[in-house]
Amino acid sequence: WCKKNGRNRSQRFSLELAGEAQMDLRLEQDLRQAIDQNELQVYFQPIVRGDSGEVEALEALVRWPHAVFGMINPERFVGLAEQCGMIGELDAWVMQRAAREVRELHEHGRKIRVGVNCSALNLSDPELPMRVELALRSSGLPATYLTLEITENALMGNVLQAAESLQKIRELGVKVSIDDFGTGYSSLAYLRKLPVNALKIDRSFIRELDISRQDQELTGAIIAMAHKLQLRVVAEGVESLKHVALLREQQCDLLQGFWFSRPLPMSELREWLSLYRPVDVLPPNQQAS
Ligand code: C2E
Ligand code: MG
Ligand code: MG
Ligand code: MG
């Protein structure tokens, strides 16, 4: 199998590692099957405009309801899919499904965009542009309504050489944002090398925004820098009215987090959309701005 087998670690961990490796192997096999048999699900979380509070986009987030282990978090299996060469297919599957569901939403009069996560590993996969085109064509979703959120993980090394496939995707009219901005060791390198439209500030900068002067300085600086580069900014992990007020003061373009809604299956999201009113979630004395 594909995972490192712990040769470098000391003897006393070898049993534990064998157990973990076995679990990874099991999940790897099950994931293969889950992808092939359409057992994965896509949830959607709204992204609202900082100025008006209107819903501008959704983020598609994969979910894996496992027959034995229950709902498995993407944090557990996305990395595994990356290690085992399945991430291209996984992300393509989510993109297809998300594009189709959002296209259906358009038919019901809700013209909103959708962001799908795209592992930075896929940037060096020559099939990526074709997969994006296929998702657009088979769903009928116009390219301008799709964003790829590029997510990296620390082990990836230099994926920047492969930026040309991203250029092809941009030429289709698809947008690109950098996810978890501020945490990846090469965030700034991505900014210089990739054709990017937006940054998503990682939620670790937002969590204590209301009590941390330093985090306020950081988000303010990231937003100001992004705007100088003509990029839009999304804040992730917005959990309180205080967060909303501070980020609005800093002219943050878009807000996403549990304060507005958790990620929901499309049927529940439609219900949520029909009840949603910006006036309920923005600070009362700021609404006119
Ligand atoms: P992400 O792309 O940064 O997505 C945002 C994550 O933050 C989601 O976790 C979401 O549920 C969570 N979140 C949203 N608002 C809040 C909040 O207010 N507070 C807190 N504490 N959390 C919030 P989720 O769905 O578990 O996904 C985790 C990560 O897994 C994603 O982070 C993304 O990196 C990855 N991922 C998810 N779906 C996919 C996919 O289809 N493909 C790839 N390659 N990665 C994916
Ligand atoms: Mg994301
Ligand atoms: Mg993120
Ligand atoms: Mg994140």
Side-chain angles (χ1 to χ4, degrees):
W1 68 90
C2 58
K3 204 186 170 187
K4 58 176 191 304
N5 57 20
R7 264 187 310 245
N8 303 332
R9 317 248 186 128
S10 70
Q11 195 68 35
R12 77 198 154 94
F13 292 119
S14 62
L15 258 183
E16 272 172 58
L17 281 171
E20 194 197 310
Q22 228 165 342
M23 186 61 182
D24 283 356
L25 182 58
R26 163 86 192 263
L27 288 181
E28 181 196 332
Q29 289 164 345
D30 291 358
L31 184 58
R32 165 91 276 143
Q33 180 181 328
I35 297 171
D36 290 343
Q37 304 189 352
N38 293 326
E39 289 164 9
L40 298 180
Q41 297 176 356
V42 181
Y43 279 33
F44 296 90
Q45 186 177 34
I47 301 175
V48 313
R49 291 182 60 103
D51 54 5
S52 64
E54 277 169 79
V55 180
E56 176 171 310
L58 305 173
E59 177 172 5
L61 294 155
V62 69
R63 294 290 178 264
W64 183 11
H66 189 285
V68 177
F69 306 120
M71 196 61 100
I72 305 179
N73 191 315
E75 243 107 57
R76 179 72 178 87
F77 65 88
V78 165
L80 202 63
E82 286 174 339
Q83 289 168 32
C84 300
M86 288 191 283
I87 194 65
E89 258 181 276
L90 185 144
D91 284 352
W93 186 91
V94 172
M95 184 162 44
Q96 287 257 8
R97 175 61 63 91
R100 196 178 79 211
E101 295 203 23
V102 169
R103 169 66 216 229
E104 282 167 16
L105 205 56
H106 286 199
E107 277 159 20
H108 290 79
R110 290 278 185 176
K111 296 259 175 174
I112 47 190
R113 298 192 291 108
V114 64
V116 299
N117 290 286
C118 177
S119 164
L121 273 187
N122 293 333
L123 299 184
S124 44
D125 182 343
E127 296 200 10
L128 182 66
M130 193 201 69
R131 285 175 160 153
V132 173
E133 246 189 302
L134 187 65
L136 293 171
R137 196 145 26 90
S138 67
S139 65
L141 185 75
T144 50
Y145 287 97
L146 182 66
T147 300
L148 297 193
E149 299 189 359
I150 308 297
T151 60
E152 73 169 337
N153 96 38
L155 304 171
M156 280 178 186
N158 192 5
V159 288
L160 291 167
Q161 288 150 349
E164 61 190 271
S165 75
L166 212 51
Q167 190 56 46
K168 285 192 198 149
I169 290 163
R170 282 293 308 277
E171 282 160 15
L172 298 171
V174 172
K175 294 187 171 61
V176 173
S177 55
I178 298 181
D179 211 337
D180 302 339
F181 187 82
T183 57
Y185 72 106
S186 60
S187 294
L188 285 169
Y190 277 102
L191 265 194
R192 288 177 57 225
K193 298 267 173 68
L194 300 182
V196 168
N197 304 97
L199 305 182
K200 299 190 76 170
I201 303 179
D202 189 70
R203 68 170 185 264
S204 57
F205 295 96
I206 310 301
R207 193 167 43 226
E208 292 168 9
L209 199 59
D210 45 344
I211 52 174
S212 165
R213 187 61 202 272
Q214 192 182 27
D215 287 350
Q216 288 171 29
E217 298 291 347
L218 279 168
T219 55
I222 293 171
I223 293 165
M225 174 197 70
H227 286 168
K228 280 196 181 128
L229 297 171
Q230 320 283 337
L231 304 174
R232 297 179 87 203
V233 183
V234 187
E236 312 185 311
V238 175
E239 293 188 351
S240 69
L241 193 60
K242 202 79 193 281
H243 290 164
V244 175
L246 286 162
L247 289 161
R248 277 165 59 91
E249 274 170 36
Q250 297 183 334
Q251 322 290 333
C252 189
D253 304 277
L254 295 158
L255 311 174
Q256 174 181 1
F258 295 167
W259 175 251
F260 304 98
S261 171
R262 287 177 180 268
L264 299 170
M266 186 52 93
S267 57
E268 287 174 42
L269 186 95
R270 280 193 191 173
E271 176 78 8
W272 182 90
L273 282 171
S274 71
L275 298 172
Y276 176 76
R277 296 185 318 156
V279 61
D280 297 330
V281 295
L282 298 184
N285 56 350
Q286 283 188 7
Q287 274 167 24
S289 68

